[in-house]
Amino acid sequence: MSTLIKICGLQTEDSLDVALRHGADMVGFVFFAKSPRHVSLDCARQLGARVNGRALKVLLTVNADDALLAAAIAALDPEILQLHGQETPERIASIRARFGLPVMKALAIGSYTDLVQIPLFDAVADLLLFDAKPASSEASPGGNGVAFDWSLLRRIETRKPWLLAGGLTPSNVAGAIGKTRAHGVDVSSGVESAPGVKDVGKIAAFIEATRGSCADLQKRAS
């Protein structure tokens, strides 16, 4: 199976169109006011309609209550909910039951001690996402352009597929996939020219580099 590619934090038609044209599997839209990638409900509605089944729409929230989730879901009509805050396993189960959508849970990884939480979320989420643990000064829990020690993931075992995030760029994504054997990769700041400003050339290059890495791994395995 080829590596899943998620381009996150999309805010414009141009950046979305490039991601779709080059074959992104997932496109992410951020509903978090503190993020430079935050989109309004109207923007999400317009961009979501533009996807038109060409990729899975991912709605990203951070510790959102049910009212915000309901409004964002109504606007975007997503296929997946991405929870990027301090949501507990119990909260994830509640959200899945109420909204009837698959949930991807982001987990912050900084050291071996952070791996202990994985089984708890593996039991309730549909997908996992491993991101770098943000510095205490960071306003956003993700999209900070920081990588973590990928070797921490070498021995993990999960029942659910997982995506790698944090500091990925067109130039390092192939190496990241080779080291971790991640089921998917998620990029936001790594394809930007400034916080929240997507670079269409970098989006295309990231997808191309990821697909090239997949082809190389398949050749080695054959």
Side-chain angles (χ1 to χ4, degrees), residues 131-150:
D131 200 354
K133 181 175 286 188
S136 58
S137 60
E138 296 287 356
S140 177
N144 298 309
V146 178
F148 62 96
D149 182 1
W150 296 324

Side-chain angles (χ1 to χ4, degrees), residues 3 27 34 107 209:
T3 304
V27 286
K34 294 181 179 180
L107 301 177

Side-chain angles (χ1 to χ4, degrees), residues 24-86:
D25 301 290
M26 301 178 181
V27 286
F29 304 90
V30 176
F31 290 81
F32 183 52
K34 294 181 179 180
S35 171
R37 302 165 188 92
H38 172 70
V39 293
S40 67
L41 296 177
D42 285 342
C43 180
R45 188 175 293 108
Q46 295 173 11
L47 293 178
R50 198 174 184 86
V51 176
N52 196 28
R54 290 179 286 171
L56 298 177
K57 291 174 289 184
V58 182
L59 188 164
L60 186 157
T61 60
V62 179
N63 302 321
D65 59 20
D66 285 353
L68 174 57
L69 284 168
I73 289 170
L76 182 63
D77 189 23
E79 282 79 25
I80 301 171
L81 304 179
Q82 179 177 334
L83 306 182
H84 218 101
Q86 288 76 48

